[in-house]
Amino acid sequence: MADTTIKVDPAVRDRLQELARERGMSMRDFVAELAGATPTKEELRKQYEETRAYVEELLGRPYTEEDERAGEKLWADLEAGRIGEVQ
């Protein structure tokens, strides 16, 4: 694999180096891992559609805005400690 140069501010370079070092990695490997773990808009759209289809299969009906609001409320309640325990 051929190497290339990416120009960034020194502060960004230093931060990347620190993050890589904390993980016991080279900056090259860290940047590659970061790029591989960050989805594109198209990948996010596809993941959303697949997740929505899965949820609709479980529900046996279309997923609605009401379902989305209920899910957001549930998540907010979990984060606030009003339901169960978030770890």
Side-chain angles (χ1 to χ4, degrees):
M1 174 186 330
D3 286 339
T4 190
T5 301
I6 301 172
K7 294 184 179 190
V8 297
D9 291 340
V12 172
R13 179 206 56 218
D14 294 346
R15 174 127 176 113
L16 289 169
Q17 187 64 48
E18 180 180 353
L19 292 167
R21 191 177 305 118
E22 285 180 356
R23 290 161 177 78
M25 310 171 80
S26 68
M27 190 185 319
R28 178 185 186 181
D29 289 342
F30 177 70
V31 170
E33 184 177 285
L34 181 64
T38 305
T40 63
K41 287 181 182 181
E42 177 59 23
E43 290 166 338
L44 287 171
R45 186 201 60 75
K46 184 178 178 189
Q47 183 179 31
Y48 173 82
E49 292 301 325
E50 290 171 353
T51 301
R52 185 181 186 106
Y54 177 76
V55 168
E56 288 179 344
E57 184 178 323
L58 288 175
L59 292 173
R61 61 174 174 75
Y63 180 76
T64 66
E65 287 183 22
E66 184 179 328
D67 294 321
E68 189 159 344
R69 283 191 301 276
E72 289 171 356
K73 182 182 180 321
L74 175 62
W75 189 252
D77 288 345
L78 285 168
E79 286 182 321
R82 293 186 289 265
I83 299 175
E85 183 177 333
V86 177
Q87 296 183 2

